[in-house]
Amino acid sequence: MEIAENDESLQGQQIYAFSTSMVLKCAVELRIADIIHSQGGPITSEKIASGIPDSPSPNISYLERIMRLLVLKNIFIVYHPLSKWIFQCVKDGGVAFKRANGWDFSSSNSGYYKLFNDDMSSTVDISMRAFLQAYKDELSSIGSMVDVGGGTGKAMYEIVKSLTYIIKGINFDPAHVIATASACEGISHIGGNMFVDIPSADSILVSWLVVKQNDESLQGLVEVWQQIYAFSTSMVLKCAVELRIADIIHSQGGPITLKQIASGVTDSPSLNISHLERVMRLLVLKNIFTVHHPSDGGETLYGPTNLSRWMLWDSKPSFVPLLLLGNNPVNIGSWHYLSQCVKDGGVAFKKANGCDVWDFASSDSGYNKLFNDAMSSTVDILMGVFLPAYKDELSSIGSLVDVGGGTGKAIHEIVKSHPHIKGINFDLPHVIATAPAYEGISHIGGSMFEDIPKADAIFIKDMLHDWNDEKCVEILKNCRKAIPEKIGKIIIVENVIGINEKDIFEEIRIMLDLTMMTLTTGKERTIKEWKKLLEEGGFPRYNFIKIPARQSIIEAYPI
């Protein structure tokens, strides 16, 4: 299957869209915007760090990596010298939040209740100025108004306060909400159930956000909303994969109706068509599928795109395993500890799960399989680019060891295209235990921090980004011992941030850097950082080769 480079980048951005929401949440928790705005102009990372509350020793490196994405998303500018439940609800109906938490959560959880009301109140501050200006003439003819679902009464208060004449205002919401509402002149607070009865008035207000499309100042507001809810793209994509929507549509060879999609969803005798339609609406908006509304009034048809081909379960290359790992609840839960890691260091995954990701994988067979499948799927994506770009160099290698090679997929593809190479797949024993037998490949279990099997050359793919600089230097020094001094080399295929800032993969690299920061002690590195690492690891000579992928090839030599 031919895949356009741009399609790979777009799909990757949508898989990791949740990282934008999580980093924005981290920035809010750290009060980064407040710190910068309070200074009245651009400030350094050190000054931002000094303003973070309750953080005697913030991690500057983590902060800078967070700021890199926030700058990319236009939250800040930079100067030099910023799901499970959706799936189940589509299958058989219901509300995801209720499945996860119970329906009356806010009434029984005071912390969440305050968070919810503060959020609703903040939307009033955003929207009321535009609303009152746009609707002032119409309000002049109203004698009484009831705000249905008015929360603590902020919107109704702003309306009554702004008018020069008297309007009778009524704020109406459930009793537990009204119980916390402040007394406001000219407003009556009434508790009740809008599904049973609503107080009488001349008019009813059901408020949300009023946006003037041509107002430049509100364009930024819209972008922030999109980034706050960016996680929904990742989760809906996960839902689509779990329902196998792409497989169902592609299997028909052309556009099909919603009912046809529904009939193809397995283990779902009473699928919720309405939920499915709403899921498809976002997937169409994100160009995962096409939509066609027949002129004769017939049923809406949904068709495949180049992007949806990445979401096929049984086709290669596929992003399905990577998406399921990235959006797994174990991984997603770790992101909520990001701001704490900036404050006092440490790894978010360990804070969330009590151990590092490697120990977790070794003790949880389900997560281990998910992880190994995801790593294997990246091989399918990469090898179609790497092998043609590096075929001449591989022809002169007699033996090659893949350090951190997982279940051996990468070294298998290399040896399959260059049968003269003796291939060695080297990884931890619990990983090697699940590796399939491949002709021409020896699987060896061990620790790369102790000893690495000897070979003419060493291959490393997306592995050094899992480790901090100190550990990487240990690995590189062991690599140097394992290869001949005069003819040996290491072939590193990893992300290089900034190698070409205008290329379509740069945003993915930055998102993955924050993923590494959340899950491991590692990072994605710039050319400068790679050079320093290689030299300290015993490789003074190196060469960076750009290929049409998110990774680059780095050749390094011991002399």
Side-chain angles (χ1 to χ4, degrees):
M1 176 174 64
E2 290 189 9
I3 298 293
E5 182 180 339
N6 193 52
D7 294 338
E8 179 188 345
S9 173
L10 287 173
Q11 196 71 304
Q13 288 171 10
Q14 293 177 12
I15 287 173
Y16 288 101
F18 68 86
S19 64
T20 299
S21 302
M22 292 299 180
V23 169
L24 209 56
K25 174 176 179 280
C26 170
V28 167
E29 291 171 336
L30 297 173
R31 297 179 177 265
I32 292 175
D34 298 84
I35 295 166
I36 292 175
H37 282 266
S38 69
Q39 298 297 311
I43 59 175
T44 64
S45 297
E46 287 76 11
K47 285 186 178 179
I48 296 172
S50 67
I52 295 173
D54 305 320
S55 180
S57 55
N59 189 308
I60 296 288
S61 173
Y62 280 12
L63 177 61
E64 288 176 341
R65 291 158 71 183
I66 283 169
M67 292 301 293
R68 184 159 53 192
L69 181 63
L70 294 171
V71 166
L72 185 70
K73 290 297 183 179
N74 298 316
I75 302 300
F76 302 109
I77 57 175
V78 64
Y79 290 84
H80 295 286
L82 215 307
S83 135
K84 162 186 172 183
W85 300 113
I86 299 177
F87 162 62
Q88 201 57 47
C89 288
V90 171
K91 292 193 79 171
D92 55 23
V95 179
F97 187 93
K98 185 177 180 180
R99 287 179 179 274
N101 306 289
W103 187 246
D104 297 321
F105 189 76
S106 67
S107 64
S108 60
N109 187 304
S110 59
Y112 181 83
Y113 169 69
K114 183 178 185 305
L115 199 64
F116 182 88
N117 283 335
D118 287 348
D119 177 43
M120 294 302 100
S121 179
S122 73
T123 66
V124 173
D125 297 325
I126 294 168
S127 65
M128 271 301 128
R129 181 171 63 177
F131 170 74
L132 291 169
Q133 182 179 358
Y135 211 66
K136 61 182 178 181
D137 294 337
E138 288 79 357
L139 287 171
S140 65
S141 62
I142 296 172
S144 58
M145 175 183 284
V146 56
D147 186 356
V148 176
T152 55
K154 183 74 179 292
M156 197 71 249
Y157 169 70
E158 292 295 333
I159 291 171
V160 171
K161 184 179 70 170
S162 71
L163 300 175
T164 57
Y165 49 88
I166 297 175
I167 182 173
K168 179 186 176 184
I170 302 170
N171 180 48
F172 181 65
D173 216 312
H176 74 273
V177 178
I178 295 298
T180 65
S182 302
C184 300
E185 186 177 351
I187 297 176
S188 302
H189 294 294
I190 299 177
N193 185 341
M194 61 187 172
F195 298 105
V196 177
D197 189 43
I198 293 174
S200 298
D202 294 343
S203 62
I204 288 174
L205 173 70
V206 179
S207 61
W208 190 234
L209 187 65
V210 180
V211 178
K212 288 170 65 179
Q213 295 295 329
N214 62 347
D215 189 333
E216 187 176 320
S217 67
L218 291 181
Q219 183 59 37
L221 173 65
V222 172
E223 290 181 15
V224 171
W225 275 102
Q226 290 171 341
Q227 291 171 19
I228 287 172
Y229 287 100
F231 71 88
S232 64
T233 299
S234 302
M235 290 301 161
V236 168
L237 211 54
K238 177 172 182 276
C239 167
V241 163
E242 291 171 333
L243 295 173
R244 295 178 181 256
I245 293 175
D247 297 83
I248 294 167
I249 293 175
H250 280 263
S251 69
Q252 297 299 310
I256 60 176
T257 66
L258 207 60
K259 289 179 181 176
Q260 287 176 302
I261 296 172
S263 67
V265 177
T266 58
D267 303 321
S268 182
S270 55
L271 184 139
N272 190 306
I273 291 287
S274 173
H275 282 15
L276 177 61
E277 185 174 22
R278 290 155 71 184
V279 164
M280 292 301 294
R281 182 163 55 194
L282 181 64
L283 294 171
V284 167
L285 184 70
K286 292 296 183 180
N287 299 316
I288 305 298
F289 301 108
T290 61
V291 65
H292 174 64
H293 303 285
S295 57
D296 61 3
E299 292 185 68
T300 299
L301 299 173
Y302 297 92
T305 68
N306 285 335
L307 293 185
S308 63
R309 294 180 184 278
W310 290 97
M311 296 292 102
L312 298 172
W313 278 77
D314 298 322
S315 179
K316 294 179 180 180
S318 171
F319 264 124
V320 167
L322 198 61
L323 186 145
L324 294 176
L325 174 67
N327 292 277
N328 180 274
V330 172
N331 285 4
I332 290 291
S334 304
W335 285 84
H336 292 284
Y337 291 82
L338 198 55
S339 61
Q340 199 57 47
C341 290
V342 173
K343 284 186 173 185
D344 55 25
V347 179
F349 187 96
K350 190 170 184 178
K351 288 179 184 288
N353 300 290
C355 62
D356 67 32
V357 67
W358 318 116
D359 288 339
F360 190 90
S362 67
S363 62
D364 187 306
S365 59
Y367 185 85
N368 185 51
K369 183 179 186 307
L370 200 64
F371 187 91
N372 287 335
D373 287 349
M375 296 305 100
S376 180
S377 74
T378 66
V379 174
D380 296 322
I381 295 167
L382 173 66
M383 281 296 148
V385 176
F386 170 76
L387 289 172
Y390 209 66
K391 62 180 180 180
D392 293 339
E393 290 80 356
L394 289 170
S395 64
S396 62
I397 295 173
S399 57
L400 182 67
V401 54
D402 186 353
V403 177
T407 55
K409 186 71 179 293
I411 193 69
H412 166 63
E413 292 297 329
I414 292 171
V415 170
K416 186 169 69 172
S417 66
H418 295 78
H420 69 280
I421 294 177
K422 176 189 175 183
I424 301 169
N425 181 47
F426 180 66
D427 212 311
L428 293 168
H430 75 270
V431 178
I432 294 298
T434 65
Y438 291 119
E439 186 176 351
I441 306 292
S442 302
H443 294 294
I444 298 177
S447 170
M448 60 191 170
F449 297 107
E450 295 174 6
D451 190 43
I452 291 173
K454 289 183 168 34
D456 293 342
I458 286 174
F459 180 75
I460 293 174
K461 183 193 79 68
D462 289 336
M463 183 274 286
L464 292 175
H465 72 172
D466 292 330
W467 303 96
N468 62 27
D469 289 353
E470 183 181 353
K471 290 293 184 182
C472 284
V473 169
E474 283 186 46
I475 295 167
L476 290 170
K477 286 181 176 179
N478 283 337
C479 287
R480 196 181 191 285
K481 295 174 186 176
I483 58 175
E485 187 174 55
K486 292 184 178 179
I487 64 168
K489 68 176 176 178
I490 55 172
I491 306 158
I492 301 169
V493 184
E494 299 229 11
N495 293 316
V496 180
I497 288 180
I499 193 167
N500 183 353
E501 292 183 355
K502 295 185 183 299
D503 84 13
I504 57 177
F505 290 104
E506 189 67 4
E507 183 172 342
I508 301 297
R509 295 182 191 114
I510 291 172
M511 287 178 166
L512 286 171
D513 174 59
L514 293 169
T515 301
M516 292 304 103
M517 190 170 82
T518 303
L519 303 182
T520 72
T521 62
K523 62 192 292 189
E524 306 297 354
R525 294 173 169 90
T526 63
I527 289 180
K528 181 180 178 181
E529 289 169 329
W530 274 115
K531 288 179 177 179
K532 182 174 183 292
L533 204 64
L534 291 167
E535 289 167 7
E536 290 180 359
F539 293 88
R541 190 162 60 93
Y542 36 74
N543 183 31
F544 291 82
I545 304 170
K546 183 74 178 73
I547 57 176
R550 67 170 173 81
Q551 304 100 323
S552 295
I553 300 171
I554 308 170
E555 296 176 309
Y557 304 87
I559 57 173

